[in-house]
Amino acid sequence: MKKTLFKHQMQLRVRNYEVDWQGIVHNGNYLLYFEVGRVEYLKALGIKIDLNSVQGDSKVVLVRNEINYRSSARFDELLTISTRISYINNTSFAFEGIIEDAASGKLIAENVAVHVWLEPVTGAPLTVPAHFREMVSSFEGDAVSITNSPKR
Amino acid sequence: MKKTLFKHQMQLRVRNYEVDWQGIVHNGNYLLYFEVGRVEYLKALGIKIDLNSVQGDSKVVLVRNEINYRSSARFDELLTISTRISYINNTSFAFEGIIEDAASGKLIAENVAVHVWLEPVTGAPLTVPAHFREMVSSFEGDAVSITNSPKR
Amino acid sequence: MKKTLFKHQMQLRVRNYEVDWQGIVHNGNYLLYFEVGRVEYLKALGIKIDLNSVQGDSKVVLVRNEINYRSSARFDELLTISTRISYINNTSFAFEGIIEDAASGKLIAENVAVHVWLEPVTGAPLTVPAHFREMVSSFEGDAVSITNSPKR
Amino acid sequence: MKKTLFKHQMQLRVRNYEVDWQGIVHNGNYLLYFEVGRVEYLKALGIKIDLNSVQGDSKVVLVRNEINYRSSARFDELLTISTRISYINNTSFAFEGIIEDAASGKLIAENVAVHVWLEPVTGAPLTVPAHFREMVSSFEGDAVSITNSPKR
């Protein structure tokens, strides 16, 4: 992933109970850290949380997670989580995330999390709303690829 | 705790991610195991879950947890969780729980979890309903102490 | 994924604390369920756990997780976890996993988890050992693709 | 608990996945928050973590947790965790913890966590070491009750 494309960063510290018997962060916790990054990203953009939840007459659902583990984080390590929305298609969009050691910049893990917009009762795909496209576009600028924008 | 007073038991196996860097189950997971025991206990009695949630015109809230750690459980260990309701007072009741190694019977942890019955909007204490008292009394017999039974 | 290729299955029941505020299993827990499936798979094959840990003069590391979320699991739902090793290459191998509702067979999530074999001190890639290839091949038969087998 | 006796405070924000289906923090997570508070307390005093782990020729073990739940924390709520050591006896000592809403000061939960010092092989109780007594006494002053101090 291109680090320079990420405009949002936050930090968190590895907690005692997130470390497994090898003395390193259990692989499941990176997925949670990326989610913390997405929540803070959406808050920073002024988009009401929770994206996974019903948004009035629609809901947003996580449909795919990809995580590449590059190295291990350890107890009490301060981590930098970088988050961006890389694309918005007609009915879907994707977050990218990077976790690094805050002190050294050592790459720890990378994530792609694909979401889709659905009609809450029937589950039919919905066009990603214009206000969401605009808020993301305004924050990301050229870094986000927006295609199949909705007919208004 | 008196083991002979417990009429409900279930088993679960320690999972990889529940073990901390000392190679033993992290202390927070025993609290979760006791909750699994309470859920299965209530299901066995035919009481609708979740007790912590709103029950029609009332809600049940966990107000106190006590855990005594006696020894450590390890990865892949099969555990026996014993659960009972030890008392029902006017507006509260308590679960007791015991975790043992299933093979050896070695005592691992003990729990008391006190719950109260509340009016969901005002939060005012409510008398524990008669049907709950009756279902528990029917299952526990003399093992449960029921006091201040509701006026009907 | 081809369900018929999976020879190992186990079941687990969704726990209260694994459900998020939408009333469905939080996405991070499926990753943990797949890990439970892998642990039971390796135990069934007689391979000493933990694969993520040091194995004598080598260690096995999870380098990539892919999860596709197909539908949602709910509190107290009984799930079937199917697990297999789909390929073994020279220094890496992959698990596949499927989570279904045990009663209806409804597909809930699919996983690919790629592991590599490393020299524990230098981190240099190591050939997947012959005994591991043989144990997996013996269990999986034609279902596993084994390439670049080690020179002995 | 007497809030004025606490000299150490830290803050953390409730994460999405820590909230259960009632929209409030699951009871098990408060126990984890108290642990985060204890870790930061020990770091602040310059005491090497992890207290639950082996400390050279001794180990420190959590033997009892008491939690009183006073009100509920919600998603994205900023919490203040106050931590102190309330007493050191001959072979044991106790942490106290308070969780409050950072904005309003509303009391959320209180904790007592009792630890004992053990000989790591035999498990025999050991006198709490003089350097630990001194570091805690130096930080806590009159707020900590220290009894049965070791013969030197």
Side-chain angles (χ1 to χ4, degrees), chain C residues 10-100:
Chain C
M10 60 160 295
Q11 294 192 326
L12 57 77
R13 193 171 291 281
V14 173
R15 295 176 182 174
N16 180 59
Y17 61 86
E18 295 167 341
V19 170
D20 69 12
W21 60 4
Q22 303 169 80
I24 57 177
V25 171
H26 184 271
N27 69 80
N29 290 308
Y30 298 112
L31 188 147
L32 302 178
Y33 297 164
F34 286 120
E35 188 180 82
V36 173
R38 294 197 297 269
V39 164
E40 292 302 319
Y41 176 95
L42 292 169
K43 281 167 58 183
L45 265 67
I47 296 172
K48 203 175 165 314
I49 308 302
D50 165 339
L51 249 197
N52 287 325
S53 186
V54 176
Q55 301 257 327
D57 52 357
S58 63
K59 68 173 177 176
V60 178
V61 174
L62 176 65
V63 294
R64 178 172 170 82
N65 245 323
E66 295 172 32
I67 306 175
N68 288 309
Y69 305 94
R70 304 301 189 185
S71 60
S72 297
R74 296 185 174 275
F75 168 60
D76 202 39
E77 189 168 336
L78 187 65
L79 304 179
T80 302
I81 321 289
S82 301
T83 307
R84 74 185 192 106
I85 291 182
S86 55
Y87 70 78
I88 304 177
N89 286 342
N90 188 25
T91 62
S92 66
F93 64 96
F95 281 98
E96 288 185 359
I98 297 175
I99 299 177
E100 298 165 300

Side-chain angles (χ1 to χ4, degrees), chain B residues 81-128:
Chain B
I81 321 290
S82 302
T83 307
R84 73 185 193 107
I85 291 183
S86 55
Y87 69 78
I88 303 177
N89 286 341
N90 189 25
T91 62
S92 66
F93 64 97
F95 281 98
E96 288 184 359
I98 297 175
I99 300 177
E100 298 163 301
D101 175 74
S104 69
K106 184 187 64 168
L107 180 60
I108 292 172
E110 294 173 310
N111 175 234
V112 177
V114 182
H115 293 71
V116 296
W117 224 283
L118 300 178
E119 203 283 326
V121 178
T122 64
L126 289 182
T127 299
V128 177

Side-chain angles (χ1 to χ4, degrees), chain D residues 48-67:
Chain D
K48 201 172 167 316
I49 308 302
D50 169 334
L51 248 198
N52 287 325
S53 186
V54 175
Q55 301 255 330
D57 53 355
S58 62
K59 68 173 181 178
V60 178
V61 174
L62 175 65
V63 293
R64 179 171 169 82
N65 246 323
E66 294 173 33
I67 307 174

